[in-house]
Amino acid sequence: MKEYPAHCIAGMKVFSGIIGAALMGLLCFMQSPSLGTVLLGMCMVMTMIFLKGVVIVSPNEAVVLTFFGQYCGSITHNGIWWVNPLAGRERISTKVANFQSEQLKVNDALGNPIEIAAVIVWRVVDSAKATFEVESCTNFVHLQCETALRQLASHFPYEPHKVEEVALRSHPEEIADKLQSELQARVSLAGIEILQTQLSHLAYSPEIAQAMLRRQQAQAVIAARQLIVDGAIGMVEMALTKLEKDGIIQLDTATKSTMVNNLLVTLVSEHHIQPVMSTSPMK
């Protein structure tokens, strides 16, 4: 089933016709009371039929018409319209809607329990499908969002463990695009368009949060230490090269080894170093 325009007449045209008929009936009544009475009665019947068939459509709203169980089309243009008085009518909003899903506890691709939630922006683009294909399009979107989130979380790890690996925390834009594609594929049958998706909550479950925090801290300490050691080695190498290049002092292998050890300890240590003065002559 697909949406198509309903056959309808602009309400003001019908209303103008009824007013014209009423004026004519009043004029005939003044000239011939018996004929005027008949015309006025007909105007009253036409007015009742008109009011029964009047449909007012607000902006960003659609009215789905049915006649004896058959879909007769949808009115999507705002204004006042006149349709078959016997037609059934179902109003459905086409405004942009959004909601935040509940926090779900799922397992990521590595089996770690995490908590995840998302904000979904959507709207109805096919009133016929949204009315007849599903019981409630709002509940349908909410349930499909939960399913899509569980499916997404099971295919990606919380954190990247390889170079350029797509993960939930490190690639928010890619994850949002994949969630939008996954959810759109699920709700298309209901005539719904997913405009935007974005993760609103992402965290490890409380039972493993502390362990994962210590792991992150350890990784940060290792990375910082590696940077400090690389910088200290470069500084020691530069100092020895400059001493020999400028001819300030000639160092043998043993002296170089001692000097390198002292400089590395001084540069890498986290505590204040107290220098010890050596009185032995250097060669």
Side-chain angles (χ1 to χ4, degrees), residues 161-235:
H161 298 277
K162 300 177 182 178
V163 179
E164 298 183 356
E165 182 183 18
V166 178
L168 298 173
R169 185 178 64 86
S170 60
H171 296 75
E173 295 182 358
E174 289 85 344
I175 296 300
D177 291 340
K178 290 183 181 297
L179 177 59
Q180 181 174 355
S181 301
E182 176 73 20
L183 187 55
Q184 183 63 66
R186 294 174 178 270
V187 300
S188 294
L189 63 91
I192 295 171
E193 180 185 9
I194 303 300
L195 301 177
Q196 184 182 8
T197 59
Q198 187 68 46
L199 295 183
S200 59
H201 176 76
L202 182 64
Y204 282 113
S205 295
E207 59 265 25
I208 67 167
Q210 291 298 326
M212 291 303 177
L213 178 60
R214 289 194 296 269
R215 176 184 174 184
Q216 293 175 357
Q217 291 174 341
Q219 290 177 342
V221 170
I222 292 173
R225 284 293 184 183
Q226 183 177 1
L227 182 62
I228 292 173
V229 170
D230 290 342
I233 292 175
M235 294 174 66

Side-chain angles (χ1 to χ4, degrees), residues 8 28 31 46 60 94 132 140 145 160-161 163 166 182 192-194 244 248-249 264 275 277-278 282:
C8 55
C28 293
Q31 297 179 354
M46 292 174 60
N60 292 321
T94 59
F132 301 114
F140 183 74
C145 173
H161 298 277
V163 179
V166 178
E182 176 73 20
I192 295 171
E193 180 185 9
I194 303 300
E244 294 183 351
I248 297 175
I249 189 173
L264 286 177
M277 302 299 296
S278 176
M282 287 188 178

Side-chain angles (χ1 to χ4, degrees), residues 107-112 153-158:
N107 293 331
D108 66 359
L110 301 179
N112 298 319
S154 65
H155 282 80
F156 296 96
Y158 180 87

Side-chain angles (χ1 to χ4, degrees), residues 8-12 15 50-65 74-84 89-93:
C8 55
I9 304 174
M12 295 307 298
F15 185 66
F50 169 76
L51 295 177
K52 181 65 176 177
V54 168
V55 175
I56 299 176
V57 182
S58 303
N60 292 321
E61 184 182 50
V63 177
V64 180
L65 302 180
S74 302
I75 306 175
T76 56
H77 298 288
N78 60 296
I80 180 171
W81 304 91
W82 188 83
V83 299
N84 184 349
R89 304 159 198 179
E90 181 76 22
R91 294 182 180 272
I92 187 167
S93 175

